Amino acid sequence: APSKILWRTIRGMVPHKTARGAAALDRLKCFEGIPHPFDRKKRMVIPAALKVLRLRPERKFCKLGDLSNLFGWKHQELISRLEGQRKVKSEAFHKKKVATQRSQKATAKKVKVSAEDQKVLEAAGFA
């Protein structure tokens, strides 16, 4: 599996026989796709790891999923199907979130604040 290949590769770079290295490997989590608790989290991009920035255009590359599939991993279609479903759900969640944010901003603009409350808000730094 691609996650196991990545885990073994990282284990080769870490002093895994020491307590510190073993603790570091215990903290490392590798998954195929994005499982449930992490699919709602904001994704982070590491610019130093982008293929566009790291590889020269003429260099060849491969993906771990494709490599694993060539060597007998049978779950690539399943993972791609689940990722497609996750992306559809994520897009719907995002559209709903943006719509609620817009409506909250619109209602916040419509609200009238009395002069006394405005002074209190300004004193507190919320003007």
Side-chain angles (χ1 to χ4, degrees):
S3 62
K4 191 69 171 179
I5 293 173
L6 179 66
W7 188 87
R8 290 287 303 256
T9 303
I10 293 172
R11 190 189 77 169
M13 301 176 194
V14 173
H16 62 93
K17 293 183 179 180
T18 65
R20 196 188 74 175
L25 274 182
D26 287 340
R27 289 190 303 268
L28 177 68
K29 296 178 184 177
C30 299
F31 304 103
E32 282 95 13
I34 304 175
H36 167 64
F38 305 110
D39 61 349
R40 299 276 186 207
K41 305 278 185 193
K42 181 175 169 60
R43 255 82 70 232
M44 304 297 280
V45 174
I46 303 169
L50 287 174
K51 181 182 76 164
V52 172
L53 299 177
R54 299 299 298 172
L55 287 180
R56 292 172 49 192
E58 69 272 5
R59 296 290 186 192
K60 293 184 179 180
F61 69 94
C62 69
K63 297 178 183 172
L64 281 181
D66 296 339
L67 191 65
S68 297
N69 197 27
L70 289 174
F71 281 96
W73 184 56
K74 296 175 178 62
H75 303 291
Q76 189 172 24
E77 292 84 19
L78 171 69
I79 295 296
S80 63
R81 182 171 52 84
L82 291 174
E83 271 299 292
Q85 291 174 355
R86 183 197 62 79
K87 286 180 181 178
V88 169
K89 286 181 185 177
S90 178
E91 186 177 352
F93 173 78
H94 179 70
K95 286 181 180 177
K96 183 178 174 183
K97 180 180 169 184
V98 169
T100 57
Q101 285 177 346
R102 283 185 185 154
S103 66
Q104 285 176 350
K105 283 184 181 179
T107 54
K109 286 182 180 178
K110 291 178 184 177
V111 171
K112 302 292 184 193
V113 180
S114 67
E116 297 172 5
D117 292 339
Q118 186 65 31
K119 288 179 183 177
V120 173
L121 286 172
E122 287 175 358
F126 291 107

mmCIF file of all heavy atoms in Angstrom, residues 5-27:
data_model
loop_
_atom_site.group_PDB
_atom_site.id
_atom_site.type_symbol
_atom_site.label_atom_id
_atom_site.label_comp_id
_atom_site.label_asym_id
_atom_site.label_seq_id
_atom_site.Cartn_x
_atom_site.Cartn_y
_atom_site.Cartn_z
ATOM 1 N N ILE A 5 4.476 2.162 2.044
ATOM 2 C CA ILE A 5 5.731 2.501 1.364
ATOM 3 C C ILE A 5 6.287 3.807 1.916
ATOM 4 O O ILE A 5 7.481 3.919 2.216
ATOM 5 C CB ILE A 5 5.518 2.601 -0.159
ATOM 6 C CG1 ILE A 5 5.177 1.237 -0.738
ATOM 7 C CG2 ILE A 5 6.757 3.176 -0.843
ATOM 8 C CD1 ILE A 5 4.785 1.262 -2.200
ATOM 9 N N LEU A 6 5.412 4.789 2.080
ATOM 10 C CA LEU A 6 5.842 6.070 2.635
ATOM 11 C C LEU A 6 6.337 5.898 4.065
ATOM 12 O O LEU A 6 7.381 6.445 4.445
ATOM 13 C CB LEU A 6 4.689 7.077 2.594
ATOM 14 C CG LEU A 6 5.001 8.452 3.169
ATOM 15 C CD1 LEU A 6 6.044 9.173 2.316
ATOM 16 C CD2 LEU A 6 3.750 9.287 3.290
ATOM 17 N N TRP A 7 5.623 5.121 4.872
ATOM 18 C CA TRP A 7 6.011 4.906 6.262
ATOM 19 C C TRP A 7 7.375 4.235 6.352
ATOM 20 O O TRP A 7 8.234 4.636 7.143
ATOM 21 C CB TRP A 7 4.951 4.053 6.964
ATOM 22 C CG TRP A 7 5.175 3.935 8.438
ATOM 23 C CD1 TRP A 7 4.736 4.790 9.396
ATOM 24 C CD2 TRP A 7 5.900 2.908 9.109
ATOM 25 N NE1 TRP A 7 5.140 4.347 10.627
ATOM 26 C CE2 TRP A 7 5.861 3.193 10.477
ATOM 27 C CE3 TRP A 7 6.586 1.773 8.685
ATOM 28 C CZ2 TRP A 7 6.474 2.392 11.436
ATOM 29 C CZ3 TRP A 7 7.200 0.968 9.638
ATOM 30 C CH2 TRP A 7 7.142 1.285 10.990
ATOM 31 N N ARG A 8 7.601 3.219 5.504
ATOM 32 C CA ARG A 8 8.891 2.518 5.528
ATOM 33 C C ARG A 8 10.019 3.423 5.057
ATOM 34 O O ARG A 8 11.145 3.366 5.559
ATOM 35 C CB ARG A 8 8.837 1.270 4.632
ATOM 36 C CG ARG A 8 7.976 0.146 5.135
ATOM 37 C CD ARG A 8 8.590 -0.575 6.313
ATOM 38 N NE ARG A 8 9.897 -1.117 6.032
ATOM 39 C CZ ARG A 8 10.168 -2.395 5.798
ATOM 40 N NH1 ARG A 8 9.187 -3.275 5.811
ATOM 41 N NH2 ARG A 8 11.397 -2.799 5.571
ATOM 42 N N THR A 9 9.735 4.284 4.071
ATOM 43 C CA THR A 9 10.748 5.218 3.578
ATOM 44 C C THR A 9 11.149 6.197 4.674
ATOM 45 O O THR A 9 12.338 6.449 4.890
ATOM 46 C CB THR A 9 10.196 5.988 2.364
ATOM 47 O OG1 THR A 9 9.792 5.062 1.364
ATOM 48 C CG2 THR A 9 11.253 6.916 1.789
ATOM 49 N N ILE A 10 10.158 6.716 5.376
ATOM 50 C CA ILE A 10 10.447 7.662 6.458
ATOM 51 C C ILE A 10 11.156 6.945 7.602
ATOM 52 O O ILE A 10 12.060 7.503 8.231
ATOM 53 C CB ILE A 10 9.154 8.358 6.924
ATOM 54 C CG1 ILE A 10 8.646 9.252 5.790
ATOM 55 C CG2 ILE A 10 9.391 9.182 8.182
ATOM 56 C CD1 ILE A 10 7.299 9.852 6.032
ATOM 57 N N ARG A 11 10.781 5.696 7.872
ATOM 58 C CA ARG A 11 11.463 4.942 8.929
ATOM 59 C C ARG A 11 12.946 4.783 8.617
ATOM 60 O O ARG A 11 13.776 4.801 9.523
ATOM 61 C CB ARG A 11 10.814 3.569 9.104
ATOM 62 C CG ARG A 11 11.334 2.858 10.351
ATOM 63 C CD ARG A 11 10.867 1.444 10.417
ATOM 64 N NE ARG A 11 11.645 0.634 9.493
ATOM 65 C CZ ARG A 11 11.624 -0.695 9.465
ATOM 66 N NH1 ARG A 11 10.831 -1.354 10.279
ATOM 67 N NH2 ARG A 11 12.356 -1.355 8.607
ATOM 68 N N GLY A 12 13.267 4.662 7.329
ATOM 69 C CA GLY A 12 14.668 4.557 6.944
ATOM 70 C C GLY A 12 15.460 5.833 7.179
ATOM 71 O O GLY A 12 16.680 5.810 7.264
ATOM 72 N N MET A 13 14.766 6.964 7.277
ATOM 73 C CA MET A 13 15.427 8.248 7.500
ATOM 74 C C MET A 13 15.488 8.626 8.977
ATOM 75 O O MET A 13 16.137 9.602 9.331
ATOM 76 C CB MET A 13 14.678 9.350 6.749
ATOM 77 C CG MET A 13 14.591 9.146 5.274
ATOM 78 S SD MET A 13 13.596 10.463 4.555
ATOM 79 C CE MET A 13 13.277 9.801 2.951
ATOM 80 N N VAL A 14 14.775 7.887 9.823
ATOM 81 C CA VAL A 14 14.671 8.226 11.236
ATOM 82 C C VAL A 14 15.425 7.181 12.056
ATOM 83 O O VAL A 14 15.369 5.993 11.739
ATOM 84 C CB VAL A 14 13.163 8.246 11.649
ATOM 85 C CG1 VAL A 14 12.985 8.418 13.141
ATOM 86 C CG2 VAL A 14 12.438 9.342 10.903
ATOM 87 N N PRO A 15 16.110 7.592 13.114
ATOM 88 C CA PRO A 15 16.761 6.599 13.986
ATOM 89 C C PRO A 15 15.720 5.853 14.819
ATOM 90 O O PRO A 15 15.553 6.111 16.012
ATOM 91 C CB PRO A 15 17.696 7.451 14.850
ATOM 92 C CG PRO A 15 17.066 8.787 14.880
ATOM 93 C CD PRO A 15 16.387 8.956 13.558
ATOM 94 N N HIS A 16 15.021 4.901 14.204
ATOM 95 C CA HIS A 16 13.849 4.284 14.817
ATOM 96 C C HIS A 16 14.184 3.335 15.960
ATOM 97 O O HIS A 16 13.292 2.907 16.686
ATOM 98 C CB HIS A 16 13.012 3.553 13.764
ATOM 99 C CG HIS A 16 13.720 2.437 13.083
ATOM 100 N ND1 HIS A 16 13.637 1.147 13.529
ATOM 101 C CD2 HIS A 16 14.532 2.423 12.003
ATOM 102 C CE1 HIS A 16 14.361 0.363 12.738
ATOM 103 N NE2 HIS A 16 14.913 1.121 11.805
ATOM 104 N N LYS A 17 15.460 3.014 16.151
ATOM 105 C CA LYS A 17 15.823 2.117 17.249
ATOM 106 C C LYS A 17 16.073 2.864 18.553
ATOM 107 O O LYS A 17 16.261 2.240 19.585
ATOM 108 C CB LYS A 17 17.052 1.303 16.865
ATOM 109 C CG LYS A 17 16.772 0.327 15.737
ATOM 110 C CD LYS A 17 17.959 -0.519 15.406
ATOM 111 C CE LYS A 17 17.631 -1.485 14.284
ATOM 112 N NZ LYS A 17 18.785 -2.323 13.932
ATOM 113 N N THR A 18 16.082 4.194 18.496
ATOM 114 C CA THR A 18 16.211 4.979 19.723
ATOM 115 C C THR A 18 14.821 5.346 20.229
ATOM 116 O O THR A 18 13.840 5.275 19.471
ATOM 117 C CB THR A 18 17.014 6.269 19.469
ATOM 118 O OG1 THR A 18 16.272 7.103 18.576
ATOM 119 C CG2 THR A 18 18.385 5.967 18.866
ATOM 120 N N ALA A 19 14.740 5.743 21.482
ATOM 121 C CA ALA A 19 13.438 6.103 22.056
ATOM 122 C C ALA A 19 12.854 7.316 21.338
ATOM 123 O O ALA A 19 11.654 7.372 21.060
ATOM 124 C CB ALA A 19 13.586 6.394 23.551
ATOM 125 N N ARG A 20 13.731 8.284 21.017
ATOM 126 C CA ARG A 20 13.260 9.499 20.338
ATOM 127 C C ARG A 20 12.723 9.181 18.950
ATOM 128 O O ARG A 20 11.669 9.675 18.531
ATOM 129 C CB ARG A 20 14.421 10.495 20.253
ATOM 130 C CG ARG A 20 14.004 11.895 19.929
ATOM 131 C CD ARG A 20 15.211 12.731 19.691
ATOM 132 N NE ARG A 20 15.720 12.342 18.381
ATOM 133 C CZ ARG A 20 16.734 12.916 17.737
ATOM 134 N NH1 ARG A 20 17.396 13.860 18.298
ATOM 135 N NH2 ARG A 20 17.097 12.530 16.566
ATOM 136 N N GLY A 21 13.444 8.341 18.191
ATOM 137 C CA GLY A 21 12.999 7.967 16.855
ATOM 138 C C GLY A 21 11.732 7.136 16.883
ATOM 139 O O GLY A 21 10.845 7.291 16.040
ATOM 140 N N ALA A 22 11.627 6.232 17.878
ATOM 141 C CA ALA A 22 10.414 5.418 18.000
ATOM 142 C C ALA A 22 9.218 6.295 18.335
ATOM 143 O O ALA A 22 8.112 6.086 17.807
ATOM 144 C CB ALA A 22 10.609 4.348 19.070
ATOM 145 N N ALA A 23 9.431 7.307 19.182
ATOM 146 C CA ALA A 23 8.335 8.225 19.519
ATOM 147 C C ALA A 23 7.928 9.033 18.296
ATOM 148 O O ALA A 23 6.740 9.286 18.075
ATOM 149 C CB ALA A 23 8.759 9.154 20.651
ATOM 150 N N ALA A 24 8.906 9.436 17.488
ATOM 151 C CA ALA A 24 8.596 10.184 16.265
ATOM 152 C C ALA A 24 7.787 9.323 15.297
ATOM 153 O O ALA A 24 6.823 9.799 14.685
ATOM 154 C CB ALA A 24 9.881 10.675 15.606
ATOM 155 N N LEU A 25 8.157 8.049 15.155
ATOM 156 C CA LEU A 25 7.404 7.163 14.264
ATOM 157 C C LEU A 25 6.010 6.881 14.810
ATOM 158 O O LEU A 25 5.071 6.677 14.026
ATOM 159 C CB LEU A 25 8.154 5.845 14.070
ATOM 160 C CG LEU A 25 9.206 5.846 12.970
ATOM 161 C CD1 LEU A 25 9.851 4.480 12.849
ATOM 162 C CD2 LEU A 25 8.632 6.256 11.644
ATOM 163 N N ASP A 26 5.858 6.849 16.136
ATOM 164 C CA ASP A 26 4.524 6.654 16.702
ATOM 165 C C ASP A 26 3.612 7.834 16.388
ATOM 166 O O ASP A 26 2.401 7.673 16.250
ATOM 167 C CB ASP A 26 4.610 6.468 18.217
ATOM 168 C CG ASP A 26 5.166 5.100 18.592
ATOM 169 O OD1 ASP A 26 5.120 4.198 17.723
ATOM 170 O OD2 ASP A 26 5.643 4.942 19.736
ATOM 171 N N ARG A 27 4.193 9.032 16.282
ATOM 172 C CA ARG A 27 3.387 10.214 15.965
ATOM 173 C C ARG A 27 3.059 10.318 14.482
ATOM 174 O O ARG A 27 2.139 11.040 14.100
ATOM 175 C CB ARG A 27 4.122 11.479 16.405
ATOM 176 C CG ARG A 27 4.182 11.666 17.902
ATOM 177 C CD ARG A 27 4.689 13.029 18.272
ATOM 178 N NE ARG A 27 5.994 13.336 17.720
ATOM 179 C CZ ARG A 27 7.152 13.104 18.341
ATOM 180 N NH1 ARG A 27 7.165 12.558 19.535
ATOM 181 N NH2 ARG A 27 8.296 13.416 17.761
#
